[in-house]
Amino acid sequence: MRIIFATHNKNKMKEIRQILGDVTEDIVAKSELGIDFEPVETGKTFAENAELKASGIRSYMLAHGMLEDDDIIMSDDSGLCVNYMLGMPGIYSARYLGEDTSYDIKNARIIHELRFAEGEERAAHFACSICAVFADGRVFHTEGKFEGLIAKEPKGTNGFGYDPILYLPEYGKTSAELTAEEKNSMSHRGKALRAMRELLKRVIGEDREKGINSGAFSEKKEGSGLVRPFQTALIVSDSHRKDDNLKDVLKRLGMIDYLIHLGDSEGTEHMIKQYAGDGVECYFVQGNNDFFTELPREQVITLGKHKCFLTHGHYYGVGMDLTQLTEEARARGCDIAMFGHTHRPYLREINGVTCINPGSISYPRQSDRRPSYMVVDVSEEGELTYHQVYLKLH
Ligand code: IMP
């Protein structure tokens, strides 16, 4: 079992390894696996942001064939919540007054905001939410709090960020006056990590009793009790009879549910279906180089909650602009239009239609010339998440 933690921070990694070491010794930072993907934190709570980070990294690993059956992807999100400021800066702690503003200024501002507050009115806490996402998609959360009062002046030089202004009355010190060991033993992150350690031990124990290899999404079998909570679609285009990259991608992705080819397979569609294997629903459309083909010119399919218009795109002038394409998609009741032809990856919403071009898996034309494809995850609720993936240049 391997835990991949979505952080670059070496100090955090040290604390994480100390606390989770008896769940597994194999704990790595995402950067140690060469992952530089940063999921965008658009959540409204610490828990939502932690989950966005962990599930984003999991999807990235899945799309890049890096995910192992018993991997657990973990992330944290934390911040300072000040009661008098209605919980601010909260999830915006790092961005409060601007990402590049010094903590001397941020701390002085909070003290100023509380200039009329006394006693308990100065209550505040650090909060930390940890999220663990198993390879099979199960999600677990734990939380920890570190409570105190906002000090009337900053004190101490240990720690970081808002530590100098969180005063701990029972110690008569601020968090920045504690040693690292003292702080870890009572901090929000320490508490959330210890709660996660206990939770993981329990879940893994229960899985073993049920004969489940924790996190094994490849064990999606009737009756195994493990059902993968989403489906995966691989979208490719413009392979032009050069299918080596496509074969590699299929091998690396392992299990997929749909394969969508947006044209110019040039007669290799039967081979591509074979590479994809049994049980994969394959959809192909004609490209401008698919002569004498029986493939449909266009198709409309359903992915989760969404209706997708599949076309190569040359009849709609996609090389110029996407107006005709989006009009046609809307006329067919589709909110997604998938196209190829340009050999350039594209993902953007236009006129209420999400337009997707996976680029060419064999003959890329965008400036960096990396062959590309797209992986679309379909959640149980039918929502789609898109991952544009590029192959390395050899
Ligand atoms: P992160 O989610 O761990 O990156 O933390 C976000 C922000 O919350 C940090 O940039 C700090 O501003 C604040 N923060 C979180 N934990 C602490 C702490 O232990 N001490 C001081 N500030 C913290």
Side-chain angles (χ1 to χ4, degrees), residues 146-149 167-174 178 186 191:
F146 185 23
E147 290 173 310
L149 301 172
Y167 177 72
L168 311 162
E170 64 274 42
Y171 298 91
K173 290 176 178 177
T174 68
L178 300 175
M186 56 182 127
K191 285 178 191 151

Side-chain angles (χ1 to χ4, degrees), residues 7 9 12 41 46 53 76-80 89-95 99 103 106 126-128 146 159-164 175 183 187-189:
T7 184
N9 185 319
K12 267 193 200 173
E41 294 177 35
F46 294 112
K53 280 188 264 188
D76 68 332
D77 197 44
S78 56
L80 175 71
I91 57 166
Y92 305 105
S93 292
R95 290 167 273 173
E99 194 103 35
Y103 276 91
K106 295 186 197 214
F126 286 129
C128 175
F146 185 23
F160 67 102
Y162 299 102
D163 278 327
S175 175
K183 186 180 165 195
S187 80
H188 46 314
R189 198 168 3 263

Side-chain angles (χ1 to χ4, degrees), residues 260-324:
I260 297 170
H261 192 300
L262 296 163
D264 282 354
S265 51
E266 293 196 35
T268 62
E269 51 276 6
H270 298 295
M271 300 300 296
I272 294 175
K273 270 190 199 164
Q274 272 183 24
Y275 305 143
D278 293 339
V280 177
E281 270 180 52
C282 296
Y283 299 97
F284 289 83
V285 290
Q286 277 178 32
N288 54 311
N289 291 294
D290 291 322
F291 308 109
F292 314 114
T293 176
E294 289 179 1
L295 293 176
R297 194 172 121 170
E298 284 147 1
Q299 299 210 49
V300 171
I301 66 163
T302 302
L303 274 187
K305 279 190 199 160
H306 302 268
K307 270 179 91 180
C308 314
F309 175 47
L310 313 186
T311 176
H312 189 58
H314 53 299
Y315 294 114
Y316 302 99
V318 294
M320 301 293 288
D321 77 80
L322 300 181
T323 316
Q324 285 186 59

Side-chain angles (χ1 to χ4, degrees), residues 316-354:
Y316 302 99
V318 294
M320 301 293 288
D321 77 80
L322 300 181
T323 316
Q324 285 186 59
L325 176 80
T326 54
E327 279 171 5
E328 185 64 27
R330 283 165 71 107
R332 295 179 187 228
C334 297
D335 58 339
I336 295 177
M338 297 189 186
F339 66 105
H341 190 52
T342 64
H343 294 221
R344 290 188 168 85
Y346 190 89
L347 172 62
R348 194 167 301 166
E349 192 181 306
I350 298 181
N351 301 329
V353 177
T354 303

